[in-house]
Amino acid sequence: MTFAAAHYAALAIFAAACWGFGRALFLRLGAPARSDFWLETAMATALGVGLFICVFQGLGIAGLLRMPAVLLVVAVGFAAACIQVPGWLRQMRALPPGPRLTWIEKVALAALALVALPTLFEPLAPPAAFDELMYHLPYARQVAQSGALGIHEWLRYPWFPYNYNLLYAAALLVGDDVLPHLLSAMAGWLSVWLVYRLGLAYLNRVLACAAAAVLLGMGDYASALIDMGVALFVLAAWISLWWWNEAHAEQPDAGVRWLALSAFFLGLAAGSKYQALTFLPLAAWFVVRRERRVRPWGVALLCFLLPCIYWFGRNALMTGDPFNPIGARLFGFSNWNPADYKNQLDDVRAHAALPSVLIWPVVLAPLSRAWRRTPAVHAAIVFCAYSLIVWALTSRYPRYMTASFPLLALVAVLGWQVLLGWLAAGLHRMLPSAVRGEGRPRVAVVVAALLLAVLAAVSWRHSERRLAGIAVTPAAREAFLRANVPGYAVMNHVREQVTGRVYQIALSEAIYYGPNPIWGDTLGPWRYADFPLLPAAEAARRFAGLGFEALVMPDAVADTLAKDQGFRRHFVLMFAQDGARAYRILPPAP
């Protein structure tokens, strides 16, 4: 409990600081046409997250991203929050009381709480997900150690935009590597709250709870990936864009502030993951239909570039490809070669799959009444259709759809409503008259009770599983990592025992726990194909000449290589455990 309380206290302080900064700016933007106190509070917090990213980016560019600077910025944000709390509380107390909850709304809220419960424990486990260990956390650690934004070619994606990872770097400066999990989860929880408030505003409370539950069910709360951060910014951008649409209809000049805010959120998303750039054509089409003046477009462009121009400008100046490496075919290859590019595309295609079944009914949403009656819902459905088409034509990799999950979840519940309506109509025709009329409320109560009972059991089971993964002591952490991270024991050994360079083969998912840095990957200048291990004498001479002292690999690779006598003469086993081995490199005698 102390472990969880300490981490959530740190998260609460940071969230409050984000809200403090965000609200201070948000108040100067004024109120949207359709005011929602709680939606605006969440939007202010998301804005504060973006402002922190910009500040950390500036500190990193200047080489000043150190613990004192991080603590100072958080302290200023927290102080800003404390100053604004009285005014915020006055606004909250002035809110008119809402209608009394019906029993079905209470059931929906209880169900949502049960779905949310396991997500509170998921972030508290040590890092064990593939991509977070391969480059998200290694990059953040490099920034934290150097205090600067650098190019680290030993990483798989050294040129990617890393906006959201800067939060992880700051977290590593002031805490442990569980804090990045919580920062990713915070983005997910904020998105869930935004979706719930949107559902409440444009649909109803039951559908709002259902949409929030669907989004919770699709979220990843156990890792330090950046997809949920991107999803938060894309969702916030579209909320701001709708506010602009409503304000522009009344007074064009008054809506520019919301257009600028939307562009800023899109810039944050694009500066965190290249896939966010695919939303720009839709946003541009939405805006150009109503606004063609130069000044609003110029303001929006500046706000978009503010959080992302560093990454794209740096890449363009240093490699000629602003979107390195995905723009290689257009701008020319640099650290990747054509084979790397093809291998990456092949890998994405190999992971192509259908998205979560929870959002499949999204295709039925145009059959709902909300499609015809509510312009905001109509716009959300267009967004979802565009996202699905782009996704289907490009990657078809489910994780690359994460940025669209919030609005897909909101629209999918309309499809579920249509589908369940059809099923209810069919059952109504089939059931005997005894369960019609007065019998239907009793059936509804029974169904609701069964639903809550099932959700409670599932929630408890998932919560127990997540609680078991929380490692409070060093011994528990060691046991967890050995069980969940292939090659962890060997990586940890060479990190502690080897002073020279280390080259890894097929253990990219464990490099965060190895030496910093560690070389070797399927892509890039240290690709495996460029460092053949046979003939062994030549390989050992080359590795030694580059300063490499050790080589680590899985048992399957080692067994194949060890059949060669030359390999056994020049690569001596120094450690083996849990399906991986480390070899010391002995160069040939002169």
Side-chain angles (χ1 to χ4, degrees):
M1 286 297 292
T2 303
F3 179 85
H7 283 81
Y8 272 104
L11 180 66
I13 291 171
F14 179 72
C18 290
W19 175 79
F21 277 144
R23 187 173 186 268
L25 178 57
F26 199 87
L27 289 176
R28 285 155 179 78
L29 298 176
R34 182 191 290 261
S35 185
D36 182 328
F37 176 78
W38 294 109
L39 180 67
E40 292 163 36
T41 296
M43 285 288 286
T45 307
L47 175 57
V49 174
L51 294 175
F52 263 103
I53 286 174
C54 291
V55 172
F56 290 157
Q57 187 185 112
L59 290 171
I61 293 171
L64 300 174
L65 190 56
R66 307 285 186 180
M67 182 188 293
V70 171
L71 292 176
L72 176 62
V73 176
V74 173
V76 172
F78 189 77
C82 293
I83 293 171
Q84 296 176 86
V85 163
W88 181 81
L89 289 175
R90 283 193 299 271
Q91 284 183 280
M92 184 181 67
R93 295 191 188 102
L95 293 175
R100 294 189 62 181
L101 298 178
T102 64
W103 74 269
I104 191 66
E105 290 176 331
K106 293 177 181 177
V107 169
L109 287 169
L112 177 59
L114 289 172
V115 174
L117 180 62
T119 70
L120 298 178
F121 308 118
E122 287 184 34
L124 297 174
F130 187 98
D131 282 4
E132 70 170 331
L133 300 182
M134 182 173 62
Y135 62 97
H136 287 296
L137 288 180
Y139 178 83
R141 182 174 58 187
Q142 283 291 105
V143 173
Q145 290 179 351
S146 65
L149 308 184
I151 307 300
H152 310 292
E153 289 199 338
W154 54 275
L155 290 174
R156 176 170 292 188
Y157 305 114
W159 299 94
F160 266 23
Y162 281 108
N163 267 350
Y164 210 83
N165 298 82
L166 299 180
L167 299 179
Y168 302 160
L172 294 177
L173 280 168
V174 300
D176 59 17
D177 52 20
V178 170
L179 280 178
H181 286 181
L182 288 167
L183 293 176
S184 175
M186 182 182 73
W189 292 323
L190 274 174
S191 297
V192 168
W193 182 248
L194 289 171
V195 164
Y196 173 76
R197 297 305 304 183
L198 289 174
L200 208 57
Y202 296 105
L203 303 176
N204 59 56
R205 193 179 301 276
V206 173
L207 291 180
C209 290
V214 167
L215 184 55
L216 281 167
M218 296 190 298
D220 173 18
Y221 296 87
S223 72
L225 306 184
I226 46 83
D227 298 273
M228 292 206 298
V230 175
L232 171 65
F233 294 142
V234 170
L235 175 61
W238 246 256
I239 293 172
S240 304
L241 198 58
W242 188 252
W243 286 347
W244 167 80
N245 179 68
E246 293 179 325
H248 186 273
E250 297 179 3
Q251 187 178 353
D253 288 335
V256 174
R257 64 189 188 278
W258 301 122
L259 182 61
L261 182 63
S262 178
F264 179 68
F265 279 126
L266 282 175
L268 289 166
S272 298
K273 197 177 183 83
Y274 285 137
Q275 280 77 16
L277 293 168
T278 61
F279 297 107
L280 295 184
L282 180 62
W285 172 79
F286 188 82
V287 174
V288 78
R289 291 167 61 234
R290 296 165 177 82
E291 180 62 82
R292 294 181 176 86
R293 293 176 298 166
V294 173
R295 179 178 171 275
W297 276 88
V299 171
L301 180 62
L302 288 175
C303 290
F304 170 78
L305 292 176
L306 176 64
C308 67
I309 187 59
Y310 167 78
W311 308 107
F312 302 145
R314 177 203 65 182
N315 292 358
L317 289 173
M318 298 182 70
T319 72
D321 178 4
F323 314 113
N324 188 308
I326 65 170
R329 284 185 175 174
L330 180 62
F331 298 100
F333 291 91
S334 54
N335 60 310
W336 279 17
N337 60 28
D340 291 335
Y341 195 90
K342 181 180 181 300
N343 289 338
Q344 176 69 7
L345 293 180
D346 290 344
D347 182 65
V348 170
R349 293 192 188 101
H351 287 86
L354 290 173
S356 170
V357 69
L358 294 173
I359 59 172
W360 286 6
V362 72
V363 297
L364 300 177
L367 302 178
S368 67
R369 294 178 180 177
W371 162 264
R372 298 183 294 272
R373 295 180 177 178
T374 311
V377 173
H378 191 285
I381 293 175
V382 171
F383 170 90
C384 292
Y386 173 87
S387 300
L388 290 172
I389 291 170
V390 170
W391 175 79
L393 293 176
T394 54
S395 69
R396 287 175 285 122
Y397 179 25
R399 188 153 63 86
Y400 286 178
M401 194 190 286
T402 305
S404 304
F405 276 176
L407 285 178
L408 283 169
L410 186 64
V411 172
V413 297
L414 294 175
W416 280 111
Q417 186 183 37
V418 171
L419 182 60
L420 294 175
W422 291 346
L423 293 175
L427 289 173
H428 182 73
R429 289 191 296 268
M430 295 172 59
L431 288 173
S433 58
V435 296
R436 296 178 182 170
E438 295 180 359
R440 279 184 294 180
R442 290 195 295 271
V443 173
V445 170
V446 171
V447 171
L450 288 175
L451 173 65
L452 288 181
V454 171
L455 282 177
V458 172
S459 179
W460 178 258
R461 185 183 64 188
H462 281 282
S463 296
E464 278 191 320
R465 188 181 305 160
R466 298 304 180 184
L467 283 167
I470 299 175
V472 178
T473 65
R477 178 182 169 93
E478 180 86 5
F480 176 88
L481 293 175
R482 287 186 59 184
N484 291 278
V485 180
Y488 164 76
V490 167
M491 284 290 186
N492 189 56
H493 176 83
V494 296
R495 179 179 59 82
E496 294 177 343
Q497 303 297 328
V498 176
T499 57
R501 286 185 169 191
V502 177
Y503 191 91
Q504 64 82 22
I505 299 175
L507 289 175
S508 297
E509 67 269 35
I511 67 170
Y512 173 68
Y513 294 109
N516 186 29
I518 185 169
W519 287 261
D521 207 321
T522 57
L523 311 170
W526 297 95
R527 62 184 68 84
Y528 305 139
D530 292 346
F531 290 86
L533 296 179
L534 295 176
E538 181 180 335
R541 184 182 299 108
R542 184 179 182 189
F543 274 120
L546 292 171
F548 284 96
E549 180 182 344
L551 189 68
V552 296
M553 65 189 76
D555 283 350
V557 177
D559 288 339
T560 301
L561 294 172
K563 295 176 182 178
D564 182 83
Q565 291 185 357
F567 182 85
R568 294 197 299 271
R569 283 196 300 269
H570 296 287
F571 297 89
V572 179
L573 182 66
M574 58 186 293
F575 186 79
Q577 194 170 13
D578 298 339
R581 302 176 197 173
Y583 289 87
R584 190 174 300 280
I585 301 169
L586 301 179

